[in-house]
Amino acid sequence: MTSRKSPPALTPAPADATGPVFRSGAVARMARMPVATLRVWEQRYCAVHPSTAPSGHRLYSPADLQRVMLLRQLTEKGHAIGSIAALDFAQLQEIARMPAARMGSGPDAPTRAAGAPTWVVVGTALATRLQRAAVLRHMAYPAPKVAVFDSLAEASAAASAKTADLLLWQAPVLRPGKVAELQQVSQAWHARHTAVLYRFSQAPIIKTLADTGSSLLREPADDDMLGAWLGSIDRGLQSASPDAAPADIEHPADPASAAAPRRFDDAMLTTIAGLSSTLACECPRHIAELLMQLTSFEAYSASCIHRDAPDAQLHAYLQQVAGTARSLFESALERVALHDGLSLR
């Protein structure tokens, strides 16, 4: 019987080798990350500079691979890719040796890019999702500085004198006592805005949070929905005057500021609704019609804001909900249009 020979073992190239030997798929597998995330790191953040083969494939050297794996290690510890992408390998190694593993948790935290917003994230699982490509692509501004904490109590204990742009809390279950604790953490961080990602809650608790001006999103929400929601909040915060006083959670700014501008006008939506009848899938038509209804309701709610205080507060909340829903459905329309080959221009 002829015995089969085992394939030869791959010998790692020396660290100083310059010849490109790895494709992006292999690098992503070895770094245990999606290829899409690697592409975002390369194209948006210029974190790595692979060569390009005549075939168009990205080719990574062993040194490139080492850099990607170290960047991946640091992002898993809570460092935002936007704040470390421009550092050289020695600087990245120095950060990896620092005892403070979480951003904003000590004086040894790495220097961030100027102008980047500051987010306080309560929930390590949520912090990990923020690094995914489907979430990052919705961010129109520089990657935020992110301080990650396991609990509201931990976030409160680490509060500094600096102002946080966003306090983001992932709460599987919203309980009455936690709402007061959230307000205390927001005040401790001087948070300009508070957002809550939750799974289960009673209606009165949701209303209480909404009345404070907080943004809410119920899970399950996929990464694209999460990104669209956070992107609309981020754009609203960054469009505000930098000289404005920090918004306390008990005296919120206009909730409508969290809604992103419209991406499609009524003429475009009407055209999409008409074209979709020739397709097997009716989703573009349905989404376009929903968008027109949401836009009308958003405008109607805005017109009711200037009534007496209780009525104005309710309609400001309704306007915020309609604007957030509109932004999510606009992202859905783009996704469906791409799948069906429709042009949205």
Side-chain angles (χ1 to χ4, degrees):
M1 177 182 293
T2 303
S3 60
R4 291 185 178 179
K5 292 184 178 181
S6 300
L10 295 177
T11 303
D16 59 351
T18 57
V21 292
F22 302 113
R23 290 188 179 181
S24 56
V27 172
R29 285 194 298 273
M30 286 184 280
R32 297 183 179 181
M33 62 189 295
V35 175
T37 301
L38 179 61
R39 188 176 300 115
V40 169
W41 285 11
E42 175 196 340
Q43 297 177 355
R44 178 172 180 177
Y45 297 104
C46 300
V48 64
H49 303 278
S51 303
T52 304
S55 62
H57 292 292
R58 294 285 193 269
L59 298 177
Y60 294 76
S61 69
D64 291 331
L65 173 60
Q66 288 182 350
R67 180 176 176 81
V68 170
M69 294 183 73
L70 182 53
L71 287 168
R72 174 61 172 166
Q73 174 189 341
L74 291 174
T75 57
E76 286 182 333
K77 290 182 178 181
H79 296 279
I81 186 62
S83 64
I84 59 177
L87 302 180
D88 61 32
F89 194 76
Q91 291 172 315
L92 293 174
Q93 287 180 313
E94 182 64 25
I95 293 173
R97 287 192 289 267
M98 289 179 179
R102 288 179 181 171
M103 297 160 37
S105 59
D108 293 328
T111 303
R112 309 298 173 192
T118 300
W119 291 9
V120 175
V121 179
V122 181
T124 52
L126 177 58
T128 300
R129 290 184 68 185
L130 298 183
Q131 301 294 333
R132 296 178 184 173
V135 176
L136 290 173
R137 74 182 185 88
H138 291 277
M139 300 301 166
Y141 292 86
K145 313 169 191 178
V146 181
V148 184
F149 303 98
D150 289 323
S151 65
L152 289 173
E154 183 181 329
S156 180
S160 66
K162 296 182 179 179
T163 298
D165 291 285
L166 178 65
L167 171 59
L168 179 58
W169 177 38
Q170 184 177 34
V173 180
L174 285 176
R175 303 185 187 281
K178 288 295 183 180
V179 174
E181 186 178 359
L182 177 66
Q183 292 176 336
Q184 293 172 359
V185 175
S186 179
Q187 292 170 358
W189 279 92
H190 305 285
R192 295 176 55 203
H193 192 71
T194 302
V196 180
L197 187 68
Y198 72 99
R199 293 176 189 166
F200 300 99
S201 178
Q202 297 176 346
I205 299 176
I206 295 174
K207 184 180 184 304
T208 298
L209 279 171
D211 287 345
T212 67
S214 299
S215 298
L216 297 102
L217 179 65
R218 184 174 183 175
E219 292 188 296
D222 61 24
D223 289 342
D224 200 57
M225 292 177 63
L226 176 63
W229 180 61
L230 291 174
S232 66
I233 295 172
D234 191 36
R235 283 186 289 271
L237 288 172
Q238 295 302 314
S239 64
S241 170
D243 297 327
D248 190 281
I249 194 168
E250 293 183 352
H251 301 85
D254 183 359
S257 63
R262 290 185 67 181
R263 288 180 242 176
F264 311 106
D265 58 22
D266 286 346
M268 173 60 75
L269 292 174
T270 302
T271 301
I272 294 171
L275 288 175
S276 64
S277 61
T278 63
L279 301 172
C281 178
E282 292 291 319
C283 288
R285 177 173 65 83
H286 294 318
I287 295 176
E289 291 172 350
L290 281 171
L291 279 171
M292 286 187 279
Q293 292 178 343
L294 283 169
T295 300
S296 297
F297 184 71
E298 186 180 6
Y300 167 76
S301 298
S303 68
C304 299
I305 285 179
H306 303 292
R307 297 182 179 180
D308 58 272
D311 200 41
Q313 191 174 51
L314 172 62
H315 284 90
Y317 165 66
L318 292 176
Q319 182 188 5
Q320 178 192 12
V321 171
T324 301
R326 171 182 52 75
S327 181
L328 292 173
F329 272 106
E330 284 172 339
S331 296
L333 180 59
E334 289 177 336
R335 193 165 181 174
V336 170
L338 179 64
H339 179 270
D340 289 342
L342 286 175
S343 174
L344 298 181
R345 303 297 178 193

